[in-house]
Amino acid sequence: MYFGCDYYPEHWPEERWEKDARMMKEAGFNVVRMAEFAWAKLEPKEGQFDFNWLDKAIEILAQYNIKTVLGTPTATPPAWLATKHPVILRVNKWGIRTSFGGRRAYCPNSRIYRTYSEKIVSKMAEHYKDNENVIGWQIDNEFGGDREKGLCYCEQCAAQFRQWLKGKYETLDKLNQEWGTVFWSQTYTEWEQIPLPRGLETAHNPSLLLDYRRFISDSYISYQKLQIDILRRICPHKFITHNFMGLFNAIDYYKLAEPLDFVAWDNYPNLRFTGENKSSVKVSLSHDVMRGLKEKNFWVMEEQSGPSGWQCVDPSPHPGEIRLWTYQAIAHGAEGILYFRWRTSRFGTEQFWHGILDPSGTSRRRYEEIKKIGQELKRLGDKLMGLEFPREVAMLTSYDEQWAFEIQPNNPKFNYQEHFASYYQLLHAWNVPVDVISIQGDLSKYKLLIAPALFLINNELVHNLKEFVKKGGILIVTFRSGIKNWNNVVFDQPLPAKLNDLLGIEVVEYNSLSSMQKGKLELIYPEIEPLKGECDTWCDIIKCREAEIVGRYTESYYKNEACITINRFGQGSAIYIGTNPSPEIKKCLLRWAIEKSGVKPSFQADPEDIEVVLRRKEGKDYLFFLNHSEKSHQVKLDQSCVELLERREYSKDSIMAIEPKGVRIIYRI
Ligand code: GLA
Ligand code: ZN
């Protein structure tokens, strides 16, 4: 397993590097990532390259058996470049060009920027191609990761956007028709008339907005490809990855991941002031999303190792928490873990974004904790590599759907990601392993599929879903599905369009609820315990064609009308949930679907705040127990097993205690 940190030797005097390497070695590190922001150090003046310092750092680390992953430094163009060619800088939606001084300020479509990027990447590749201590590349850093989500509205983007549209629609007539530009007199007679969706007092055409999001996403993907092509040509034996950002969704991560050897991502579970304070469930979901990008294990290129913060300091990770996050990552598929960052910077924007060491560079609590993890991982050797997931349940998503909902949330309370997470969370609570995969993924491996809010529908998706159910799968689809075609235009058929026969229903009317409003419903299907409850956000009023009623409203003008249905289709069944039921009702529905599909939870009956993750290898079941709480817990083991961290055996029915923030890994014997 690769285990290490993100290292910035250029921030510290050279005399210190040796000590750093020694301390890293003592912590069990075998890898660092370096140089991803070091363009100005590597090319201090245009065309003058200096790799000396980096060579030296790589060499010192290598003496301690620490390998290097090099970042291409394109996330931070140097001042000389931005001054000479201000057109490389992005323009925001109000037409203002960003200034030099932060990071990620470049336009991915800038020809000039691409040329300079090619130069620095080729130089680095040539310089390190035969260096065996450099094992791989990270391209750029966190594409899209800035306040504007990487969007650019400059003239170059406008010209490229029109080219992109020509490639997609071929003729203006087609574009006009697909976008419905007859509305508000927007018919285009020249390609040059098509605007970027810059700031407006009203709102742009939703089809234009969606295509613009796709275009910007494609721009980063093609910018990444430019670098990949160079690296593959010059360094065919080194791996290439990029550091993704979990649930971040400004770029089509499936496409971005495609040409990479594996996905890496940056995991900051606790950003109380600077961002979201993620629940442990959200962290697991993020890991599962990352694993689903290539349906393959991944790395964590930046794992939180201290309190974060730019302007304010976030709370510190509690004792045991860094270790818990590390094993949580491994449980969900990480095969490389690098902590961000080795030593907290004394200067620059991220002075408060703490690393393993504080600015004084002394070993303290966090270093000691990581060292302990290093010892454990060394002992475990390759045991935790190549673990597989059971692949019984999958949740489907796509970035097109996410963008369409960002453009039009449909209801102010509706948030696609929260909606998605509300289903994931229940599966997670029952220790049902979930894959999160693309709507274009191979569905045939699964028994149960959950496809929340398939707002946009295309024929391929409909076909795949039908095949899945026909062959015996259980599918759950939720409200606001089958509303629009792939160009963000509403269907002229009864809803959920194209899914009517699969779901056996017609949505005859809907009611979008205010944030204070609740609906009332009851479950009345023979296979489920009768239950009354509430729902919010949205109420579809459903006429069953072939489907049977599972739930109906008990109030309002649609009292007694169906809101939840099930339809037999081929060998399987398709369930439609036409509202957002309360957690109790959702629980009941999911439990029923799980039983119906024959899916088994990884582990029965454990305390709620213990996460249990099942992995498999060579016919053996591995179970990770992660205690996210501040309390110690006990679990009763259902089989005799070996515990890998404490190194002891447990007999069947014995009790395993797990301390607060503790971790256990067992395999059953
Ligand atoms: C991101 C970046 C890092 C660093 C941290 C902290 O994950 O990739 O370079 O900036 O955030 O801000
Ligand atoms: Zn631009």
Side-chain angles (χ1 to χ4, degrees):
M1 169 153 313
Y2 278 107
F3 186 64
C5 67
D6 305 300
Y7 186 39
Y8 301 90
E10 70 274 27
H11 296 178
W12 306 98
E14 228 179 278
E15 303 78 67
R16 168 75 192 204
W17 297 356
E18 174 100 29
K19 182 168 181 198
D20 284 341
R22 188 165 8 97
M23 283 176 77
M24 287 182 196
K25 175 85 195 152
E26 280 162 16
F29 288 1
N30 53 18
V31 70
V32 296
R33 180 200 62 188
M34 295 195 287
E36 81 282 7
F37 297 119
W39 194 338
K41 284 283 288 180
L42 295 168
E43 190 181 0
K45 283 196 183 135
E46 181 167 358
Q48 284 181 22
F49 297 90
D50 174 13
F51 294 106
N52 275 331
W53 66 274
L54 188 54
D55 292 349
K56 214 172 282 171
I58 293 171
E59 182 51 38
I60 291 175
L61 290 157
Q63 282 162 13
Y64 290 85
N65 290 325
I66 297 169
K67 300 284 184 196
T68 294
V69 176
L70 283 179
T72 66
T74 47
T76 44
W80 57 257
L81 176 51
T83 315
K84 184 170 174 196
H85 297 290
V87 292
I88 66 162
L89 300 172
R90 290 208 319 261
V91 170
N92 74 10
K93 71 171 168 197
W94 301 106
I96 297 167
R97 198 175 288 284
T98 188
S99 87
F100 178 81
R103 66 174 174 183
R104 302 219 52 77
Y106 69 85
C107 164
N109 285 307
S110 162
R111 287 269 139 237
I112 295 178
Y113 196 63
R114 285 179 173 226
T115 306
Y116 279 93
S117 304
E118 268 165 15
K119 245 183 264 170
I120 182 74
V121 173
S122 310
K123 279 278 172 199
M124 278 182 93
E126 285 293 349
H127 190 84
Y128 290 108
K129 66 174 187 240
D130 298 321
N131 188 328
E132 284 178 356
N133 296 316
V134 175
I135 52 171
W137 297 95
Q138 170 192 298
I139 307 244
D140 203 291
N141 192 80
E142 296 189 336
F143 283 124
D146 57 76
R147 206 171 294 140
E148 302 289 325
K149 294 189 167 182
L151 299 174
C152 181
Y153 300 81
C154 76
E155 281 311 310
Q156 305 161 91
C157 282
Q160 285 296 114
F161 183 44
R162 291 170 196 136
Q163 278 307 114
W164 187 94
L165 292 169
K166 267 186 209 167
K168 178 172 175 185
Y169 296 102
E170 291 176 6
T171 66
L172 266 185
D173 281 352
K174 181 93 195 304
L175 178 143
N176 281 317
Q177 193 195 329
E178 288 296 319
W179 284 11
T181 55
V182 61
F183 189 81
W184 281 0
S185 234
Q186 287 171 354
T187 307
Y188 300 108
T189 54
E190 301 287 343
W191 290 98
E192 286 61 40
Q193 295 162 355
I194 302 172
L196 288 179
R198 278 196 171 178
L200 266 194
E201 302 314 326
T202 55
H204 281 280
N205 178 318
S207 301
L208 177 147
L209 285 168
L210 181 56
D211 273 343
Y212 170 71
R213 294 298 297 267
R214 289 173 173 145
F215 157 74
I216 289 290
S217 171
D218 279 358
S219 304
Y220 284 100
I221 289 160
S222 92
Y223 177 71
Q224 177 184 254
K225 182 169 183 302
L226 169 134
Q227 297 201 21
I228 292 178
D229 288 348
I230 296 170
L231 296 173
R232 291 258 184 251
R233 181 163 43 79
I234 303 177
C235 306
H237 303 303
K238 300 194 197 293
F239 68 72
I240 305 179
T241 186
H242 169 71
N243 52 341
F244 292 68
M245 289 183 284
L247 302 182
F248 178 81
N249 63 2
I251 296 174
D252 187 329
Y253 270 0
Y254 292 108
K255 286 199 203 165
L256 191 69
E258 224 243 346
L260 300 170
D261 292 300
F262 57 86
V263 163
W265 82 285
D266 298 345
N267 181 27
Y268 294 95
N270 191 350
L271 306 182
R272 194 138 325 151
F273 309 135
T274 16
E276 194 190 1
N277 180 26
K278 290 195 207 96
S279 63
S280 63
V281 181
K282 277 274 174 72
V283 176
S284 292
L285 171 59
S286 308
H287 283 305
D288 288 346
V289 169
M290 295 292 96
R291 192 182 67 252
L293 295 181
K294 289 183 83 70
E295 299 192 32
K296 190 174 166 179
N297 290 343
F298 56 88
W299 280 29
V300 176
M301 197 59 99
E302 297 178 13
E303 176 71 59
Q304 184 169 353
S305 67
S308 8
W310 283 9
Q311 281 73 30
C312 292
V313 182
D314 281 312
S316 285
H318 282 209
E321 221 163 21
I322 299 173
R323 178 168 174 270
L324 177 65
W325 293 334
T326 304
Y327 284 108
Q328 184 184 19
I330 295 171
H332 285 269
E335 296 194 334
I337 306 264
L338 286 80
Y339 298 97
F340 187 88
R341 47 183 278 167
W342 173 242
R343 182 171 170 183
T344 312
S345 179
R346 296 178 46 230
F347 37 67
T349 309
E350 297 190 350
Q351 283 166 323
F352 292 159
W353 202 285
H354 293 68
I356 301 169
L357 305 182
D358 62 25
S360 76
T362 8
S363 80
R364 297 197 199 280
R365 172 176 73 85
R366 299 196 302 274
Y367 174 79
E368 292 304 324
E369 182 169 326
I370 286 170
K371 192 164 154 187
K372 177 179 166 200
I373 308 168
Q375 285 158 358
E376 288 173 345
L377 292 178
K378 186 169 263 165
R379 198 158 37 69
L380 291 170
D382 281 345
K383 272 219 178 68
L384 302 182
M385 300 287 287
L387 297 176
E388 283 164 19
F389 263 78
R391 291 188 182 272
E392 296 203 314
V393 183
M395 293 189 68
L396 297 185
T397 190
S398 89
Y399 291 90
D400 298 83
E401 307 280 1
Q402 300 193 34
W403 298 330
F405 277 119
E406 250 175 51
I407 294 165
Q408 294 168 309
N410 284 256
N411 178 293
K413 218 181 150 184
F414 184 77
N415 173 304
Y416 174 88
Q417 288 201 339
E418 292 306 323
H419 182 65
F420 191 97
S422 74
Y423 283 92
Y424 176 89
Q425 182 167 12
L426 293 176
L427 297 168
H428 184 268
W430 291 319
N431 304 321
V432 172
V434 189
D435 285 343
V436 179
I437 61 168
S438 150
I439 53 169
Q440 289 173 329
D442 176 4
L443 311 183
S444 66
K445 297 176 262 197
Y446 298 98
K447 294 180 179 163
L448 172 65
L449 278 189
I450 303 177
L454 296 173
F455 195 37
L456 310 176
I457 285 280
N458 60 34
N459 292 338
E460 189 195 342
L461 175 56
V462 174
H463 174 81
N464 291 345
L465 293 177
K466 282 187 177 170
E467 284 303 302
F468 169 77
V469 181
K470 238 188 234 166
K471 293 189 180 134
I474 306 288
L475 168 71
I476 298 179
V477 174
T478 69
F479 64 99
R480 297 318 272 159
S481 289
I483 309 298
K484 296 192 182 197
N485 70 16
W486 219 246
N487 287 327
N488 218 3
V489 168
V490 174
F491 286 113
D492 59 0
Q493 296 150 29
L495 304 178
K498 297 188 184 274
L499 294 173
N500 302 117
D501 53 339
L502 173 59
L503 297 166
I505 57 165
E506 210 176 298
V507 171
V508 290
E509 199 183 321
Y510 40 71
N511 190 22
S512 177
L513 304 184
S514 73
S515 62
M516 306 299 289
Q517 232 179 331
K518 294 269 188 213
K520 291 242 158 63
L521 56 82
E522 61 181 352
L523 301 180
I524 52 163
Y525 195 59
E527 291 177 10
I528 313 176
E529 288 266 306
L531 182 67
K532 287 188 192 308
E534 289 188 330
C535 56
D536 57 42
T537 314
W538 194 271
C539 294
D540 275 339
I541 300 160
I542 302 172
K543 188 178 100 195
C544 288
R545 289 182 181 172
E546 298 83 19
E548 294 171 76
I549 301 181
V550 173
R552 66 179 177 201
Y553 298 107
T554 56
E555 243 186 42
S556 187
Y557 64 91
Y558 34 86
K559 180 174 175 183
N560 294 333
E561 301 286 350
C563 54
I564 302 161
T565 59
I566 180 165
N567 190 40
R568 277 210 70 90
F569 190 84
Q571 305 290 305
S573 298
I575 297 165
Y576 183 75
I577 305 180
T579 183
N580 189 40
S582 64
E584 297 73 53
I585 300 272
K586 262 188 200 160
K587 254 186 210 170
C588 196
L589 291 168
L590 269 189
R591 202 183 282 277
W592 165 59
I594 288 170
E595 274 166 23
K596 229 177 148 51
S597 57
V599 169
K600 297 259 172 308
S602 314
F603 192 80
Q604 298 278 5
D606 61 286
E608 236 189 49
D609 25 36
I610 299 233
E611 180 183 1
V612 186
V613 187
L614 169 66
R615 307 292 304 272
R616 294 211 166 106
K617 189 169 154 179
E618 291 150 8
K620 236 186 227 157
D621 277 4
Y622 287 80
L623 284 172
F624 289 74
F625 292 80
L626 307 157
N627 183 358
H628 294 287
S629 78
E630 307 283 346
K631 292 184 294 205
S632 28
H633 279 297
Q634 300 192 327
V635 289
K636 190 169 170 198
L637 295 164
D638 55 0
Q639 248 176 303
S640 47
C641 58
V642 174
E643 205 286 330
L644 291 173
L645 296 170
E646 292 181 308
R647 287 179 284 178
R648 58 174 282 197
E649 285 189 21
Y650 286 93
S651 53
K652 182 171 186 296
D653 293 333
S654 57
I655 300 290
M656 182 170 71
I658 312 175
E659 73 281 6
K661 307 286 176 197
V663 180
R664 297 288 181 275
I665 309 171
I666 62 165
Y667 63 84
R668 290 166 172 153
I669 43 176

